Amino acid sequence: MMFPNNFLWGASTSAYQCEGAATSYGKGLSVMDVSSVFQECGVTDVEVASDHYHRFIEDISLMAEMGFKAYRFSVSWSRILPNGIGEVNEEGIAHYHRVLDELEKHHIEPIVTMYHFDLPLALQDKGGWSNRSTIDAFTEYASVLFSHFGDRIKYWLTINEQNMMIIHGDALGTSSHRKVNNEKKDLYQQNHHMLVAQAKVMQLCHKMTDAKIGPAPNISSVYPATPHPDDMLAASNASAIRNWLYLDAAVFGKYNSIAWSFMESEGIIPDIHEGDMEVLKSAQPDFIAFNYYSNMTVQRSRGESITQVKDQQMGESEPGYFESVPNHTLNKNEYGWEIDPIGFRYCLREVWDRYSLPMIVTENGLGAKDILVIGDDNIPTVIDDYRIDYLRAHIKQMRLAIEDGCDVFGYCPWSAIDLVSTHQGMNKRYGFIYVNRDEFDLKDLARYKKKSFYWYQSVISKNGTSL
Ligand code: BG6
């Protein structure tokens, strides 16, 4: 079995992690521009990042050289609406038009995330997602995007990793402004507001444009640590709370019953207004986008609250429901993330079985401390065979999932170019293109092609037949 002819090979980035120009050209601040996570972790912030704002022409031409069919990037909400609502920043609109012009020139399909962790600070100051009016703000923002770019973009993604913002907001830096007493209840209230906002925006997209739209959570299948029925139940709990809560609401327009009973016993059922459930029910995504890095393994919870690792891909536990354990059958990357390509096939099959909607993988990849060396042609490069091995193994499994009958229409690993990691700075790199800067020394920000650049170029040119 082959990849379909029009398969969308590409890669991903997000605005705050690569654009830079965080306080220029009329952009308002976002929560990520002032996030304490960077100081806490002693890593670089996002003021300059990869300087993609100024260098997108060069970056997109390198993507074209790799043969990209698609580029998944996010629009910065506060670059479009500096206050989150109201006045539109025309410079921001013009910037993204220039990015789209460039992509069009190279026949690269834009896949655009509307919101990737960077809520406008002005909205956060009014309570962020805890405040119900952020639903209207997101709808207003979407309507600005659809009216300016609706005829240029065929694929929209609503919210990147809503589930990780709820479960791991501290690691990502999206919840560092939260000042509430009943934290968990507030989080699930935020979650409800995001679900309603997403549903409204999916409806609006179908009303205002001919484009397709879908959610973009981070999905991990969940293995039981042993065949003990208690561990099986723990795995079922974890999957419902981590995955299906989010996708069932987006696709079926209802709360997953296991996740609901978890929220009920924890006393964290959100305040649901009249009409909210009808809004969820009446919206339909056209596809499911999801990010996959690793699966998780759990055992029955012993009830005690165990120390959580502050990382979105590790250490998730819910006392009383499930407890994460390492999977000793898998190798780990240098940041402790388990590498599980076969689990990727399993995960694709699970999402397909459950929802029967076309799927696109919007993140997958290997974070590593790349080392720049001088190549044969005297030009700096990175010999990132470890990244090639990771991607090759995952693409092979994706091909097998397609043979299994899964409808997968694109693959956009993380990341097109090196960018600032959510909480591990510039040294944790994912790109096919090296960005010449260090954690705090900006150097010349020059772009260098890694070995994986040439490898991915050949994968795309042969449409995945030779890996
Ligand atoms: C995902 C996010 O969680 O993982 C990205 O959508 C992020 O924004 C990526 O960068 C890799 O995670 P990290 O923590 O290594 O940057």
Side-chain angles (χ1 to χ4, degrees):
M1 173 78 82
M2 306 285 228
F3 286 99
N5 275 336
N6 48 1
F7 193 75
L8 293 175
W9 297 101
S12 295
T13 62
S14 92
Y16 85 92
Q17 292 174 277
C18 74
E19 279 184 358
T23 49
S24 322
Y25 310 108
K27 177 178 168 295
L29 288 175
S30 86
V31 294
M32 301 317 298
D33 298 322
V34 297
S35 171
S36 54
V37 84
F38 304 111
Q39 291 92 321
E40 276 166 24
C41 301
V43 292
T44 189
D45 60 23
V46 293
E47 175 70 36
V48 176
S50 312
D51 200 32
H52 186 54
Y53 186 93
H54 297 113
R55 296 168 194 246
F56 68 90
I57 294 182
E58 180 186 356
D59 292 339
I60 291 173
S61 107
L62 286 165
M63 294 177 205
E65 194 182 326
M66 261 188 283
F68 277 22
K69 311 289 179 215
Y71 173 37
R72 179 233 176 183
F73 62 98
S74 79
V75 169
S76 153
W77 185 342
S78 61
R79 200 180 284 292
I80 299 291
L81 298 169
N83 299 310
I85 47 170
E87 196 197 334
V88 174
N89 173 28
E90 293 304 332
E91 269 190 285
I93 301 282
H95 171 73
Y96 291 112
H97 270 304
R98 287 193 293 269
V99 171
L100 293 172
D101 289 345
E102 220 43 42
L103 291 171
E104 210 170 284
K105 195 162 105 192
H106 293 290
H107 310 290
I108 298 175
E109 192 70 59
I111 299 174
V112 180
T113 318
M114 303 170 75
Y115 162 45
H116 191 124
F117 302 160
D118 52 355
L119 189 73
L121 188 60
L123 295 179
Q124 188 59 51
D125 288 342
K126 290 187 260 172
W129 285 105
S130 308
N131 183 341
R132 200 177 156 88
S133 69
T134 302
I135 299 176
D136 297 332
F138 190 54
T139 319
E140 180 180 329
Y141 167 52
S143 137
V144 172
L145 292 183
F146 297 147
S147 59
H148 284 90
F149 306 112
D151 55 344
R152 305 195 71 180
I153 292 166
K154 277 202 233 150
Y155 300 98
W156 293 96
L157 312 177
T158 53
I159 301 177
N160 180 70
E161 295 195 356
Q162 179 178 330
N163 54 342
M164 294 298 96
M165 285 197 275
I166 299 304
I167 301 168
H168 287 296
D170 289 342
L172 301 173
T174 52
S175 58
S176 49
H177 303 267
R178 210 173 342 113
K179 286 189 197 76
V180 282
N181 300 327
N182 197 350
E183 198 172 279
K184 208 164 183 181
K185 181 155 172 57
D186 180 63
L187 276 173
Y188 282 84
Q189 187 64 55
Q190 294 184 28
N191 185 47
H192 179 70
H193 292 155
M194 280 194 241
L195 292 176
V196 174
Q198 168 171 267
K200 288 194 167 187
V201 164
M202 291 195 296
Q203 277 185 316
L204 192 67
C205 178
H206 292 140
K207 205 164 119 202
M208 291 181 68
T209 76
D210 296 326
K212 294 183 192 304
I213 188 162
N218 176 309
I219 300 296
S220 287
S221 291
V222 187
Y223 305 133
T226 73
H228 192 291
D230 278 342
D231 290 347
M232 295 295 290
L233 272 178
S236 161
N237 287 339
S239 215
I241 295 168
R242 186 197 195 283
N243 301 314
W244 314 141
L245 164 57
Y246 301 87
L247 281 178
D248 284 6
V251 180
F252 304 140
K254 61 177 192 188
Y255 270 96
N256 174 278
S257 61
I258 300 166
W260 183 265
S261 95
F262 151 76
M263 294 193 297
E264 216 161 28
S265 350
E266 294 288 292
I268 54 171
I269 294 279
D271 184 13
I272 298 179
H273 282 207
E274 208 186 319
D276 283 359
M277 295 316 292
E278 287 68 30
V279 170
L280 289 190
K281 196 98 216 150
S282 52
Q284 254 294 313
D286 302 287
F287 59 83
I288 292 174
F290 75 92
N291 302 344
Y292 173 86
Y293 288 92
S294 196
N295 282 338
M296 67 190 276
T297 305
V298 302
Q299 63 187 12
R300 100 184 144 80
S301 167
R302 276 123 238 259
E304 53 294 353
S305 179
I306 57 163
T307 319
Q308 297 258 352
V309 184
K310 248 190 155 195
D311 191 289
Q312 73 269 41
Q313 216 59 54
M314 289 191 305
E316 243 163 272
S317 289
E318 233 2 296
Y321 300 89
F322 65 90
E323 200 172 286
S324 269
V325 291
N327 186 329
H328 296 296
T329 68
L330 301 171
N331 292 326
K332 292 186 173 68
N333 73 14
E334 56 185 309
Y335 292 87
W337 294 15
E338 288 168 353
I339 300 177
D340 186 9
I342 297 175
F344 182 35
R345 175 180 181 188
Y346 183 75
C347 193
L348 284 159
R349 287 160 50 139
E350 220 183 354
V351 175
W352 172 246
D353 272 354
R354 201 172 168 91
Y355 302 106
S356 297
L357 279 175
M359 296 176 286
I360 176 163
V361 179
T362 38
E363 287 181 36
N364 173 234
L366 184 80
K369 294 185 182 100
D370 289 345
I371 303 198
L372 202 61
V373 296
I374 299 298
D376 295 341
D377 46 8
N378 254 346
I379 298 175
T381 185
V382 175
I383 311 297
D384 54 346
D385 289 304
Y386 40 89
R387 181 166 294 111
I388 295 173
D389 290 345
Y390 177 101
L391 294 170
R392 180 191 289 120
H394 283 78
I395 296 173
K396 275 188 183 163
Q397 293 297 326
M398 176 169 58
R399 193 166 64 191
L400 290 171
I402 294 175
E403 271 180 34
D404 296 333
C406 298
D407 181 355
V408 188
F409 68 96
Y411 178 69
C412 292
W414 193 257
S415 52
I417 60 173
D418 286 343
L419 37 70
V420 181
S421 138
T422 59
H423 58 286
Q424 281 151 318
M426 199 64 209
N427 284 327
K428 187 185 191 187
R429 294 170 186 264
Y430 286 86
F432 294 103
I433 298 163
Y434 187 90
V435 173
N436 192 32
R437 61 162 291 180
D438 284 347
E439 204 68 87
F440 296 104
D441 179 354
L442 290 179
K443 298 191 168 173
D444 59 3
L445 290 153
R447 278 41 180 161
Y448 296 120
K449 300 168 199 170
K450 301 184 192 176
K451 187 172 176 188
S452 57
F453 178 104
Y454 298 103
W455 172 80
Y456 197 41
Q457 181 183 54
S458 135
V459 170
I460 298 176
S461 74
K462 299 189 181 107
N463 199 28
T465 50
S466 154
L467 296 166

